[in-house]
Amino acid sequence: MEESLLEVKHLKKIFHSGKESFTAVEDINFFLEQGECLGIVGESGSGKSTVAMMLTHLTEVTEGQIFLQGKDITHAKGKALRETYRELQMVFQTPAGSFDPRCTLGDGIGESLRNMGISKKETRNRVEKLLLTCGLTPEYADRYPHQVSGGECQRAAIARALAVEPKVLICDEATSALDVTVQKQIMELLMKLKKEKQLSFLFICHDLALVQLFCDRVIVMNDGHVEEEGTPEEIIENPKTEYTKRLIESVL
Ligand code: ADP
């Protein structure tokens, strides 16, 4: 059988503070294929962000494995981690968090390109193209994060994530902090990217309506474990558990 683009096996996260320990993620398994969009839904606190943070190495994996194109990246460091970030990028809920407030958006978007040894001029060219792809004019490269709106900053954050031409884009509540109209515009941008680029998405969202709009498959998380999985239609039309029913009723 061919390997999946991304696969997690028996992923587990225990947070420790002092003598206390808390299991935030317990034995999660899923895969993501090329060009596919997998949604992760669940109540606040169910462990969705912790999964995303383990995938992007923002928090250490306690147990289990993460495979990217068949390669075990669970504990990747140094060069291996840099290579991982070329394939796997993330967009966060608060767009300003993706940028250094003292640097222009252009510097932020181009940072990884410069780190890859690409010239200043070529980086600027690519940054301008990325801005256009994300619905912003090239002059936004010279603005600072505080000089743009939340929606514009999220567009720039998506441009930044796309700069390395990743295979997987993890969106963690990427539209949740935005008002409804702007949320719709960002969703349109993500749908355009899904259609035009060979991108796979891990789309973390508490809003099942957005997941239905965007995702091919969805997993429902409850209290750190996978409650059920299926297509959005299967989940919404025929929820198997009371938890999923409540989740659907609360957002649809
Ligand atoms: P979600 O994204 O579904 O809202 P999270 O993954 O953010 O859920 O959190 C899952 C659980 O793990 C929550 O109970 C949260 O309080 C806990 N948690 C998250 N980060 C930490 C941390 N750094 N230390 C201790 N507990 C944490």
Side-chain angles (χ1 to χ4, degrees):
M1 207 183 93
E2 269 211 24
E3 67 210 15
S4 297
L5 176 58
L6 181 71
E7 185 165 9
V8 312
K9 289 185 179 167
H10 307 296
L11 211 56
K12 181 171 181 169
K13 178 70 194 184
I14 303 177
F15 288 111
H16 297 278
S17 59
K19 284 194 189 124
E20 305 276 305
S21 65
F22 176 78
T23 305
V25 172
E26 176 84 68
D27 199 17
I28 294 279
N29 297 279
F30 63 79
F31 62 88
L32 178 69
E33 303 293 0
Q34 178 89 41
E36 194 185 25
C37 182
L38 176 67
I40 302 185
V41 295
E43 279 176 355
S44 175
S46 56
K48 306 181 298 295
S49 288
T50 304
V51 170
M53 284 173 58
M54 285 192 278
L55 288 171
T56 47
H57 292 70
L58 296 174
T59 192
E60 210 177 321
V61 172
T62 309
E63 262 176 45
Q65 287 169 298
I66 304 168
F67 295 93
L68 185 65
Q69 300 176 107
K71 197 170 144 206
D72 188 342
I73 59 151
T74 318
H75 301 289
K77 288 191 178 63
K79 186 165 171 269
L81 185 58
R82 284 197 297 279
E83 280 168 8
T84 297
Y85 286 141
R86 288 196 59 175
E87 308 291 3
L88 196 134
Q89 284 283 314
M90 182 148 157
V91 178
F92 301 89
Q93 181 171 353
T94 21
S98 299
F99 293 98
D100 182 337
R102 295 160 302 178
C103 297
T104 62
L105 295 177
D107 285 339
I109 296 167
E111 188 184 359
S112 41
L113 298 174
R114 294 289 289 137
N115 288 343
M116 281 156 61
I118 293 168
S119 74
K120 220 169 165 177
K121 189 158 173 265
E122 174 60 15
T123 296
R124 176 73 190 200
N125 275 339
R126 292 205 202 172
V127 166
E128 292 190 355
K129 278 202 187 107
L130 286 159
L131 284 166
L132 286 169
T133 300
C134 293
L136 295 172
T137 53
E139 58 96 13
Y140 275 79
D142 301 316
R143 295 212 198 173
Y144 288 86
H146 70 271
Q147 295 174 322
V148 299
S149 71
E152 288 163 346
C153 200
Q154 194 60 301
R155 287 180 190 276
I158 294 169
R160 180 184 160 97
L162 293 180
V164 293
E165 300 181 355
K167 293 203 168 68
V168 182
L169 192 60
I170 300 176
C171 299
D172 187 4
E173 301 282 3
T175 64
S176 305
L178 307 169
D179 68 50
V180 177
T181 336
V182 181
Q183 187 176 65
K184 194 164 168 270
Q185 292 163 0
I186 298 294
M187 282 312 298
E188 279 163 8
L189 169 60
L190 293 176
M191 307 233 313
K192 182 185 93 156
L193 295 173
K194 188 185 169 194
K195 220 160 112 190
E196 291 173 5
K197 306 222 175 244
Q198 270 296 323
L199 256 183
S200 305
F201 287 86
L202 196 64
F203 188 72
I204 297 172
C205 187
H206 67 278
D207 187 339
L208 262 163
L210 287 185
V211 168
Q212 186 178 22
L213 188 75
F214 192 59
C215 298
D216 307 303
R217 279 189 301 125
V218 57
I219 65 178
V220 180
M221 279 189 74
N222 177 14
D223 208 9
H225 67 268
V226 175
E227 181 85 358
E228 57 179 300
E229 55 185 297
T231 65
E233 289 68 29
E234 280 165 0
I235 301 280
I236 289 166
E237 281 161 24
N238 191 18
K240 290 193 180 69
T241 66
E242 283 305 315
Y243 171 83
T244 310
K245 274 184 203 154
R246 274 206 313 277
L247 201 66
I248 295 167
E249 280 158 16
S250 67
V251 289
L252 291 185

